[in-house]
Structure formats: C-alpha cells, structure tokens
C-alpha cells in the first residue's frame, strides 16, 4: 500500500559539508527525494556551498527558499537538514520563521562535533599545515562545484571547520538557540516562533560484527575509523557526530543502527540490513503531514 506523505508545505532537503544537489546524473539525495515524491511530497534540493560557515550557507538557503515559495505559491517550507545542513536550516528558521514551518535535523552536530575539534587542533592556525589543508579542501570543493550545472557558490574550508567545532557551534547556538535542549541529552522545545523542531540520528554498533552486511560498506569502515577520535561520546557516535550532540526539538530517536553517511541514504548503503534510512524520511513526511505541516 502506497504511503501518503503529501505534506501541506514543500520539503527542502539541505545537504551538509561536501554535499551537493546534483553532479551530472548523480543526485546526493536521489533515493530520498524519489521516495518522498512517490509518497506524494513536493521535494526540492537547494544548491549551497559545499564548504562554508553556517551563516553564509544559511543566507544561500534563504534565497532559495524564496524561489521555492514563489514557484509553488506556498507560504512556508519544511526543512530537513543532514549534518551541517541541520545548522544551515536552523539559521534560516531563526532568521525567517515566517517562511519555515519545520526544521528537522538528521545527524546534525547541534552541539558541535568532537571530530571537528580534533581536526581543528591538528591544524595549527596560520601555519603551513592549515594553509595546505585549506587549499586542498577548497580546491576539491571548487572541483565539485564545477561539475554542477548550478551557479557557482563560494567555498571556505577553514570557515566550515571552525563552524563545526564545539566552540564554533557554541557561539552559533548563543545566537540561534531555537529548539536546543536545556540539558545534555534531553529534548528541546517542539515549537519556537511557530516553527516545529525535530531530530533523529544513529550510532555505530558496539562491534563491526554486529553490523552484519553493513560492515562491507567502505563508507561504514571510514566512519568507524573516525569514531576513534571521540572522547565524550566515544561509544555513542555515528563516526562524525555524537548521539546527544545531535539532539534538537522533538527527538524521534538518536540511536538508530546507522552511521553518519547511512542517514543520507548513500548508495553503498544498499548493503544495509535492518533499518531502512530512506523509509525514515517517508515516515517523517507522514509525521509532518499529520501535524498539518
């Protein structure tokens, strides 16, 4: 039976660091967008900088929200942001709550990422390693941008890294606290300034054998290797973001057996057994529909 996920407002899928909407025939959110459309939702993927800070990307998102509103005749949009895309969506909702019906954080570093903290410490500010890393990463982001058919967006790798550290996100949260929990690991207010806030995320299982076929996914191995740099949430992270750091608004669940890249429905995730990350988006669209959003 086909599920009805025809939300009242259009859905925008907001990508995170190194993300993109489309390169050639490959779409980052292809499976998610197709599943949502099959369920009746109107879905758009904005074109944002692959590397930049949250406010710059947020301003880009605001511009594209206006285009969607003009094109569809809708008065608001539902924002679903993956990883840094959650912070981008939060900025847009805080600045223009009249244009946003809901913000959903999927594996979003809403209190910063311990991995970003480690990388920031490893790159001495103003010294050669930082300059080399910035050049290489920015060139890579520019390369991704040249493959896209969309208008070029500026790139700034170090600004992106700084914006994802615990310190950087802490400063961001001081300005845009909407939906944040009052206590570590808790839930935030479901609605602020007329905007509904939700979140979900996953964690790595205790050992690779517990992942079954998922362990064959090279991206999963990459996430598991990165998880070693977590201290505070050493046993509770998805390889890039800590479980409790991801909490925002109504926490649907933060311990799905999914790594950071699984929650975007990346292609190799087809090896996955157990929870279907694509289905989580369809279920959430139904949740938004039932809430009148």
């Amino acid at each position: 039976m086909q599920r009805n996920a025809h939300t009242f407002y259009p859905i925008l899928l907001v990508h995170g660091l190194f993300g993109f909407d489309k390169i050639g025939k490959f779409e980052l959110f292809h499976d998610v967008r197709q599943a949502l459309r099959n369920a009746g939702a109107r879905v758009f993927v904005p074109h944002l900088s692959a590397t930049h800070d949250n406010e710059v990307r947020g301003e880009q998102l605001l511009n594209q929200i206006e285009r969607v509103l003009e094109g569809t005749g809708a008065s608001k949009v539902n924002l679903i942001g993956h990883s840094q895309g959650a912070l981008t969506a939060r900025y847009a909702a805080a600045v223009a709550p009249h244009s946003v019906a809901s913000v959903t954080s999927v594996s979003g570093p809403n209190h910063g990422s311990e991995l970003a903290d480690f990388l920031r410490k490893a790159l001495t500010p103003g010294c050669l390693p930082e300059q080399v890393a910035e050049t290489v990463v920015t060139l890579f982001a520019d390369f991704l941008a040249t493959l896209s058919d969309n208008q070029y967006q500026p790139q700034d790798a170090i600004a992106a890294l700084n914006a994802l550290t615990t310190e950087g996100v802490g400063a961001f949260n001081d300005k845009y606290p909407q939906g944040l929990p009052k206590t570590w690991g808790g839930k935030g207010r479901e609605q602020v300034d007329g905007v509904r806030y939700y979140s979900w995320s996953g964690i790595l299982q205790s050992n690779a054998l517990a992942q079954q076929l998922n362990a064959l996914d090279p991206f999963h191995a990459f996430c598991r290797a990165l998880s070693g740099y977590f201290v505070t949430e050493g046993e509770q992270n998805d390889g890039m973001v800590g479980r409790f750091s991801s909490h925002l608004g109504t926490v649907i669940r933060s311990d799905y057996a999914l790594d950071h890249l699984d929650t975007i429905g990346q292609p190799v995730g087809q090896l996955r057994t157990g929870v279907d990350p694509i289905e989580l988006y369809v279920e959430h669209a139904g949740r938004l529909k039932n809430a009148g959003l």
Side-chain angles (χ1 to χ4, degrees), residues 255-273:
D255 63 346
Y256 286 113
L258 298 168
D259 64 42
H260 192 75
L261 298 176
D262 282 332
T263 52
I264 202 174
Q266 48 92 14
V268 186
Q270 292 173 3
L271 292 170
R272 169 155 300 284
T273 58

Side-chain angles (χ1 to χ4, degrees), residues 63-77:
N63 290 334
Q64 294 180 59
I65 287 174
E66 288 304 311
R67 295 178 191 172
V68 170
L69 297 182
E70 291 174 3
T72 62
S75 59
K76 296 183 179 183
V77 296

Side-chain angles (χ1 to χ4, degrees):
M1 180 177 175
Q2 180 64 53
R3 181 170 299 176
N4 182 358
H6 180 63
T7 56
F8 187 78
Y9 300 109
I11 294 174
L12 271 67
L13 300 172
V14 187
H15 69 73
L17 185 67
F18 292 123
F20 51 86
D21 51 343
K22 183 178 181 180
I23 292 180
K25 294 184 178 180
F26 181 74
E27 299 178 25
L28 186 66
F29 283 107
H30 173 74
D31 292 339
V32 175
R33 175 157 61 175
Q34 193 58 52
L36 288 172
R37 285 181 171 174
N38 289 346
R42 293 172 293 172
V43 188
F44 302 87
V45 180
H47 174 59
L48 310 174
S49 294
T51 60
H52 223 303
D53 65 39
N54 305 316
E55 287 88 344
V56 168
R57 299 178 83 246
E59 285 296 323
Q60 295 169 0
L61 177 58
L62 284 172
N63 290 334
Q64 294 180 59
I65 287 174
E66 288 304 311
R67 295 178 191 172
V68 170
L69 297 182
E70 291 174 3
T72 62
S75 59
K76 296 183 179 183
V77 296
N78 291 303
L79 300 176
I80 301 180
H82 177 261
S83 194
Q84 190 187 10
L87 302 176
T88 305
R90 284 177 51 199
Y91 173 87
V95 172
H98 56 280
S99 296
V100 179
S102 71
V103 169
T104 302
S105 167
V106 179
S107 302
N110 293 303
H111 297 272
S113 169
E114 290 186 70
L115 177 61
D117 291 343
F118 172 81
L119 293 174
R120 179 66 275 179
K121 291 177 182 177
L123 298 174
T124 305
C127 294
L128 184 60
E130 180 188 60
Q131 295 169 358
V132 171
E134 180 178 19
T135 299
V136 171
V137 174
T138 300
L139 284 174
F140 176 67
D142 282 338
F143 173 69
L144 290 178
T146 61
L147 298 179
S148 173
D149 296 331
N150 294 292
Q151 182 180 2
Y152 175 80
Q153 298 282 22
Q155 311 294 336
D156 191 327
I158 297 303
L161 176 60
N162 290 337
L164 293 171
T165 62
T166 302
E167 181 180 0
V169 176
F172 177 84
N173 288 345
D174 287 341
K175 294 187 286 186
Y176 315 108
Q178 292 85 345
L180 291 173
K182 296 293 185 181
T183 58
W184 180 250
K187 297 183 178 182
R189 288 177 58 189
E190 179 178 350
Q191 186 168 338
V192 183
D193 297 332
V195 181
R196 298 283 186 92
Y197 288 87
Y198 303 89
S199 62
W200 83 72
S201 59
I203 58 173
L204 298 172
Q205 300 305 289
S206 58
N207 59 71
L209 292 178
Q211 296 290 340
Q212 301 178 36
L213 285 177
N214 312 333
L216 299 176
D217 181 344
F219 291 115
H220 175 77
F222 178 66
C223 287
R224 186 168 288 279
L226 294 179
S227 71
Y229 296 103
F230 284 75
V231 178
T232 302
E233 298 195 80
E235 300 298 324
Q236 298 280 310
N237 68 81
D238 64 8
M240 296 186 187
V241 173
R243 173 184 179 181
F244 297 127
S245 179
S246 74
H247 285 199
L248 182 76
T250 299
V251 181
I252 297 165
R253 184 173 171 180
S254 59
D255 63 346
Y256 286 113
L258 298 168
D259 64 42
H260 192 75
L261 298 176
D262 282 332
T263 52
I264 202 174
Q266 48 92 14
V268 186
Q270 292 173 3
L271 292 170
R272 169 155 300 284
T273 58
V275 61
D276 179 357
I278 306 300
E279 181 62 17
L280 294 181
Y281 287 86
V282 179
E283 288 179 359
H284 188 58
R287 186 178 293 113
L288 295 176
K289 175 182 179 294
N290 291 337
L293 305 175

